[in-house]
Amino acid sequence: MSELELNDYIQAIAYQIPKDGNVINGDSFFMKVTDEYFICAVADGLGSGEHAYHSSNAIREVVEKNHDQEVKLLIDCCNQVLKNKRGATLSILKVHFSPMTFTYSAVGNIQFILSCPSGRIIYPLPVQGYLSGKPQKYRCETFTYEKGSKFIIHTDGLANPGIKSLASSSSSIEEISNYLKIITKTGKDDMTYIVGQLF
Ligand SMILES: [Mn+2]
């Protein structure tokens, strides 16, 4: 499954594939572009299959319904929705085109990198653990970006893809996406990635 979102400020490709032998993917993602912002969320339900999907999909629905809200509020709403469900890891990226800033927050092992054409690399570290509906501390950081910056977000179904060098390379996001698709063929876990470029 893959999806493409674009306007004058962003181009992004999302792709996901379930663990070998599974029909249901325990990861979920959401992407939305407006004239002012781009928001995406990637969630990885603990374990795999149906119960993992219930958690990650509940997160997707929260972000879909409230995409106009800020990241700090969203991540807390996502935590709340996991009460009495299996836990999940989550990463939310919100890009504001006009001031050219982005806010990022993550809990758990979803990787993110943004590489600017000047060589600046932004690699915010997630808070360890996972969301489970219990009170939790979040880290929510805002950075500036440059025109042409590329980013990659992926769940742990993609092992050591070398995203730093990929995001910094001159490859287009289609080329990066095709490369990631090829190296995920092993399928030991559900896998989701989003690759994008900002203009
Ligand atoms: Mn996983």
Side-chain angles (χ1 to χ4, degrees):
M1 174 196 184
S2 87
E3 243 181 61
L4 180 74
E5 283 279 356
L6 76 169
N7 67 9
D8 289 347
Y9 303 106
I10 181 156
Q11 203 189 346
I13 301 168
Y15 176 78
Q16 64 176 177
I17 187 165
K19 176 182 173 174
D20 270 353
N22 281 8
V23 179
I24 295 172
N25 198 316
D27 294 351
S28 295
F29 73 92
F30 174 73
M31 287 203 293
K32 169 97 183 166
V33 177
T34 73
D35 290 342
E36 282 108 45
Y37 60 85
F38 166 75
I39 185 166
C40 69
V42 175
D44 178 347
L46 295 189
S48 64
E50 201 181 331
H51 292 289
Y53 169 80
H54 284 320
S55 292
S56 68
N57 188 56
I59 287 176
R60 188 190 60 71
E61 286 174 348
V62 166
V63 181
E64 185 171 12
K65 279 186 203 133
N66 303 284
H67 61 79
D68 57 328
Q69 300 294 323
E70 286 312 315
V71 176
K72 205 174 178 177
L73 182 92
L74 283 173
I75 202 148
D76 200 38
C77 293
C78 292
N79 190 31
Q80 303 288 330
V81 85
L82 292 185
K83 272 180 191 157
N84 306 313
K85 288 193 182 66
R86 214 184 256 191
T89 62
L90 168 64
S91 137
I92 303 180
L93 168 70
K94 191 164 194 180
V95 179
H96 290 278
F97 302 132
S98 169
M100 292 181 79
T101 60
F102 70 90
T103 300
Y104 182 79
S105 185
V107 177
N109 53 3
I110 296 170
Q111 301 296 313
F112 169 77
I113 196 159
L114 182 135
S115 173
C116 297
S118 66
R120 188 163 64 107
I121 286 175
I122 303 163
Y123 187 55
L125 290 176
V127 170
Q128 298 295 307
Y130 56 89
L131 299 177
S132 61
K134 297 190 186 107
Q136 166 119 28
K137 284 202 169 169
Y138 313 106
R139 191 184 298 133
C140 203
E141 294 176 281
T142 299
F143 306 87
T144 59
Y145 65 89
E146 301 160 18
K147 271 185 203 294
S149 296
K150 279 180 268 186
F151 66 85
I152 301 172
I153 301 176
H154 70 88
T155 60
D156 61 354
L158 198 58
N160 303 316
I163 53 172
K164 208 179 238 182
S165 53
L166 270 177
S168 323
S169 72
S170 58
S171 306
S172 68
I173 63 163
E174 289 84 0
E175 287 165 339
I176 294 171
S177 171
N178 289 337
Y179 171 78
L180 292 176
K181 245 182 238 178
I182 290 163
I183 65 164
T184 53
K185 286 279 155 67
T186 47
K188 291 191 177 71
D189 192 4
D190 301 319
M191 191 284 301
T192 302
Y193 67 74
I194 297 177
V195 183
Q197 187 163 24
L198 300 164
F199 302 99

